[in-house]
Amino acid sequence: MAFETIITGGTIVDGSGKDRYEADIGITDGAIAAIGDLGQAETRRSIDASGHVVSPGFIDMHSHSDRTLIDDRNAESKVFQGVTTEVVGNCSYSPFPVGPLGASVIARSHLSEVEWTWTDHDGYAAFLESDGISVNVANQVGHATLRAAAGLLDNRPPTADELDTMRRLAAESVEQGAFSFTTGLTLPPGSYAATDELIEITRAIAPYEGAFYASHARLWADNHVGAVEEAIEIGAIAGVPVQYSHMAIIDSRVFDTPEVMTEPIVQARARGVDVTYDMYPYIAGGTHLSQMVPEWLQDGGVAKMLERLRTPDTRRQAVTDLRKGWFRGLPWEWDTIIISHVQTEANRDIVGKSIEQIAEDRNHDPAEVYLQLIDEEDNNVGCVAVNRREDNIRYFMAQPYAMFGSDGSAISPTGIYGGDKPHPRFYGCYPRILGRYVREQPAVLTLEEAIHKAAGFPAERMGFKDRGLLKAGYAADIVILDPDTVIDNATFDDPHRYSDGMPHVLVNGEPVVLNGAHTGTRPGRVLRRGG
């Protein structure tokens, strides 16, 4: 038998969680054609994996690359860490459907001048595939985008017609191939929604095989358990599986009891509710500054928020409220909020500085500076917030119903986002897991467990029939890594750094990373629910 590519001499960790074994892999037409002793077979390309582990490509269960891939088609920050599939549309925002209010309502932090010509899932998929992408993309439809498409940005329940519109658009998106319905319940307009609204929209996707509900939940002070319970309730009543997004405790007052957040999941699974979660291995999160301002300030959308900020009386009230409490009463310090992204050149020098440092430089009150930045940047300003503890990361990572998701985006050091200081998870999530928590802290995870949580388990949740495992007939999304050297290099101070120990990455059988260099190929596809 002749193959297009043979990977020889490697140790296979197949993504199922089973023990590793030695074998070669033969690839033809983008798929794994054979696994075994292929030493005598003919091939056009041979990749020597001696001394290395061969694993399925990682499926980033929680990504925000739907916007960045519009510009950074080579997805360098992700493929260099072994990611071959990006699950996007998380936290309530997806690039479709685009309603009468237009794309500007949902095109947050999108820097280029690319025109959003699409209105639905199929249009967005065609746009991505028209110029090629280096990773596969699996889309989800976001609640905030549905609200915007229905013209509902205000803090109120939907009318019957608005709810029908959201349900119809959610169903249409899933029919066209979106895998799930996502929410972002700490971010307006998603935070305005009552549980009943979310149940009704989720019910609209329940008839579609494999569709599920994914929630960035209402994680604020004194609601860390309630946030998990609400997510479970929505899925259970609507009759769909539940994916809890970026599991973490961000309230320092309850760092000592992480098990209280997983107990509702254990109980739900025991009664037959399919609940899982994703998480990432860092003690800091990343978001937009506007997520943490008083909710009344955001009522009606970004334009109205900026109008209020530019009115002296409401600006003073916002400063007062911001001083009283931040992010629904969670404890905080100004020096833990670090600017990662701005839109204007005028503020480029503040990237990498904390709110406290910027306030000192400007000789202003930190709360005032916080709002100044949102005003000056027309709300296009991102931050990193240190708000987690290391032992909790290890706990959440080790649970049997956990999988991995970076909560980052596919970018490149030389692209239009190269001047930002993003969260290092954009570049380092998976190598960090394999180096820090498998090799350096082997009590946390075995290599087989980690790769299952990075590939096989996410594939199960997504309903992929031919990805996530190294198996004959499956798509040849493959990572070749050195278990002795794999590690992340990206830091909060210097995030645009590729990892070590992943010399080869294949997407649909084509090398995207070969001998440690990006090949420039774009063999990725937009995957669709149901195949």
Side-chain angles (χ1 to χ4, degrees), residues 351-369:
V351 172
K353 291 185 176 182
S354 70
I355 296 294
E356 185 173 272
Q357 288 174 301
I358 300 166
E360 290 174 357
D361 292 343
R362 295 187 177 191
N363 196 27
H364 276 305
D365 175 76
E368 173 61 37
V369 167

Side-chain angles (χ1 to χ4, degrees), residues 432-488:
R432 183 177 179 84
I433 291 164
L434 297 174
R436 181 181 178 90
Y437 296 99
V438 172
R439 184 178 63 247
E440 297 176 1
Q441 302 179 48
V444 180
L445 291 174
T446 67
L447 184 61
E448 286 83 353
E449 289 170 336
I451 290 176
H452 174 61
K453 291 172 181 285
F457 199 13
E460 288 178 26
R461 165 55 72 228
M462 298 301 294
F464 294 155
K465 302 294 194 298
D466 62 349
R467 296 178 196 271
L469 301 175
L470 296 183
K471 186 176 179 180
Y474 274 49
D477 294 343
I478 296 174
V479 176
I480 301 171
L481 62 94
D482 185 341
D484 296 326
T485 64
V486 63
I487 196 65
D488 60 312

Side-chain angles (χ1 to χ4, degrees), residues 92 122 148 151 153-154 226 235 286 303 305 387 419 434 439 473 489:
S92 203
D122 282 351
L153 297 177
D154 301 328
M305 177 182 70
N387 57 4
L434 297 174
R439 184 178 63 247
N489 292 315

Side-chain angles (χ1 to χ4, degrees), residues 242-255:
V242 175
Q243 180 74 13
Y244 188 89
S245 297
H246 36 61
M247 173 64 78
I249 292 179
I250 60 174
D251 186 340
S252 59
R253 296 167 297 187
V254 289
F255 276 164

